[in-house]
């Protein structure tokens, strides 16, 4: 039924009315099945579909599905040489899929962008869910030769790429250590980085990004969306620009590490010189004043006059107030 629901969505994507009869004819199925697919779009995928007697079904507005050709059209020369693009309608998680494919020898630069994840994952074991079409969910596979230990600061560098891309569309985003993208102090996007490889040898890294374009509905923390910043960029164009910036920063990071981005990251950072609270998967929270980051992307915090260093890992940070 998911496959039919996506086929129906493609028919409705122009935002115009389509009669159940026409749709059934195109899909080669009964009108009852079309009706069930529309219900799936509404009930399972969180979409609104108008149904008007005598006219048929219509979406509230035109809907831009992910299309490899449209993403490719927005890539610059460097990015076009780096990325191999793939899309999927529905899978468990783009990170899970790319980690599996990485283990099977998938190439450096593979991108998987997904319309709907059934088991999207966030940091610290959280879930990542988004109504269909409300944003972007994608992962990229990057193979590094600097060893796992040389990858400290990678998540901050990915944040820098996202800031560059989003600010090019005039969205005034900031970064929250280690890897959230904030708009108006609320979470606009999250980054999940997963690694496999050797301490000193080749490493496969999967970088997963989830970004809210429309309001994602009820979630367990304050969130923001591109729509509230008045940004009307299409999903394919936005994905292309994110991939352009990622290709550029990852190549520099590969050669020079995080130190090359330390100043830029600091300029984008929220909460610097402010009271913060650090929470860990184990142990007591730590309060202090965020001072900045070191050349490896570790957070420097003034805790009652003592400077402490916190490495990216099972840590989450929030404003203390
Ligand atoms: C976080 O803020 O906790 C990170 C969220 C990362 C979500 C993205 S969506 C695409 C990719 N696939 C996943 O399962 N997770 C990441």
């Amino acid at each position: 039924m998911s496959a039919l629901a996506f086929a129906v969505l493609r028919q409705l994507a122009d935002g115009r009315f389509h009669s159940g009869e026409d749709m059934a004819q195109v899909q080669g199925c009964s009108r009852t099945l079309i009706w069930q697919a529309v219900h799936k779009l509404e009930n399972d995928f969180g979409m609104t579909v108008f149904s008007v007697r005598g006219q048929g079904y219509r979406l509230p507005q035109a809907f831009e599905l992910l299309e490899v050709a449209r993403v490719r059209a927005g890539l610059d020369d460097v990015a076009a040489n780096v990325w191999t693009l793939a899309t999927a309608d529905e899978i468990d998680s783009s990170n899970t899929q790319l980690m599996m494919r990485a283990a099977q020898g998938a190439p450096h630069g593979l991108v998987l962008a997904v319309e709907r994840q059934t088991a999207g994952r966030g940091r610290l074991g959280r879930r990542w869910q988004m109504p269909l079409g409300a944003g972007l969910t994608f992962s990229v596979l990057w193979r590094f030769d600097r060893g796992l230990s040389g990858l400290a600061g990678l998540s901050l560098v990915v944040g820098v790429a996202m800031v560059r891309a989003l600010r090019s569309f005039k969205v005034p985003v900031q970064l929250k250590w280690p890897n959230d993208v904030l708009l108006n102090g609320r979470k606009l996007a999250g980054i999940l980085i997963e690694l496999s490889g050797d301490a000193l040898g080749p490493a496969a890294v999967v970088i997963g990004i989830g970004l809210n374009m429309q309001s994602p509905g009820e979630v367990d923390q304050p969130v923001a969306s591109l729509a509230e910043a008045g940004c009307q960029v299409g999903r394919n164009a936005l994905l292309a620009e994110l991939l352009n910036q990622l290709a550029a920063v990852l190549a520099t990071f590969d050669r020079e590490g995080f130190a090359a981005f330390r100043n830029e990251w600091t300029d984008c950072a929220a909460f610097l010189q402010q009271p913060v609270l650090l929470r860990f998967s184990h142990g007591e929270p730590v309060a202090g004043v965020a001072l900045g980051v070191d050349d490896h992307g570790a957070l420097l915090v003034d805790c009652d006059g003592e400077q402490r260093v916190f490495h990216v890992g099972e840590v989450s940070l929030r404003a203390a107030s």
Side-chain angles (χ1 to χ4, degrees):
M1 182 49 79
S2 275
L4 183 60
F6 276 101
V8 162
L9 176 60
R10 286 196 161 78
Q11 278 186 279
L12 294 174
D14 60 10
R16 302 212 183 107
F17 272 114
H18 294 264
S19 75
E21 202 174 325
D22 285 353
M23 294 173 78
Q25 205 167 25
V26 171
Q27 301 301 335
C29 68
S30 67
R31 275 163 48 192
T32 307
L33 274 179
I34 296 292
W35 179 81
Q36 285 173 357
V38 167
H39 270 253
K40 188 162 183 74
L41 289 177
E42 290 183 297
N43 299 336
D44 295 356
F45 295 3
M47 302 195 75
T48 301
V49 185
F50 298 134
S51 165
V52 177
R53 191 182 288 272
Q55 297 200 72
Y57 303 107
R58 174 172 86 73
L59 296 178
Q61 65 244 336
F63 180 91
E64 188 180 322
L65 285 139
L66 296 166
E67 279 178 55
V68 165
R70 291 180 72 173
V71 179
R72 193 175 291 128
L75 294 182
D76 61 29
D77 290 348
V78 173
N81 277 324
V82 165
W83 302 120
T84 304
L85 305 175
T87 58
D89 283 344
E90 184 176 77
I91 55 169
D92 49 358
S93 143
S94 55
N95 262 45
T96 304
Q97 287 296 319
L98 280 198
M99 285 300 284
M100 273 166 42
R101 293 193 205 176
Q104 294 159 0
H108 171 79
L110 183 59
V111 178
L112 181 57
V114 182
E115 295 292 0
R116 181 167 190 261
Q117 298 187 123
T118 52
R121 294 184 285 111
R123 285 184 71 231
L124 310 174
R126 298 187 189 117
R127 279 164 24 119
W128 178 273
Q129 274 182 310
M130 198 182 265
L132 185 64
L136 283 180
T137 48
F138 70 100
S139 302
V140 306
L141 169 60
W142 195 272
R143 294 186 180 276
F144 288 97
D145 278 327
R146 43 180 33 248
L148 291 177
S149 50
L151 296 177
L154 174 60
S155 63
L156 283 73
V157 164
V158 172
V160 168
M162 295 183 70
V163 168
R164 287 186 190 177
L166 291 163
R167 288 190 181 170
S168 79
F169 296 109
K170 310 260 180 295
V171 184
V173 282
Q174 285 188 301
L175 294 172
K176 187 183 85 163
W177 189 90
N179 53 4
D180 282 352
V181 180
L182 304 182
L183 174 65
N184 301 326
R186 285 170 279 123
K187 183 160 171 169
L188 176 73
I191 300 163
L192 177 66
I193 296 190
E194 296 180 293
L195 315 161
S196 68
D198 300 337
L200 299 172
V205 177
V206 171
I207 301 166
I209 292 175
L211 189 153
N212 303 320
M213 296 180 75
Q214 309 294 329
S215 165
E218 233 171 76
V219 279
D220 56 2
Q221 61 177 315
V223 291
S225 70
L226 283 191
E228 73 183 63
C231 176
Q232 298 294 335
V233 62
R235 297 170 76 218
N236 292 290
L238 177 60
L239 177 55
E241 188 53 24
L242 288 165
L243 292 173
N244 287 339
Q245 299 300 340
L246 279 169
V249 301
L250 291 175
T252 306
F253 178 79
D254 220 347
R255 291 191 310 271
E256 303 171 35
F258 177 71
F261 295 94
R262 185 177 170 188
N263 289 342
E264 187 174 354
W265 189 91
T266 305
D267 287 345
C268 301
F271 302 136
L272 289 193
Q273 306 307 326
Q274 289 178 29
V276 293
L277 195 64
L278 290 156
R279 294 175 192 271
F280 308 89
S281 44
H282 302 289
E284 291 295 304
V286 170
V289 173
L291 299 175
V293 289
D294 69 10
D295 271 352
H296 306 286
L299 185 70
L300 307 174
V301 181
D302 180 334
C303 302
D304 291 328
E306 179 201 353
Q307 183 170 306
R308 294 181 59 183
V309 181
F310 295 93
H311 297 276
V312 179
E314 300 293 282
V315 191
S316 71
L317 173 145
R318 62 182 55 196
S321 51

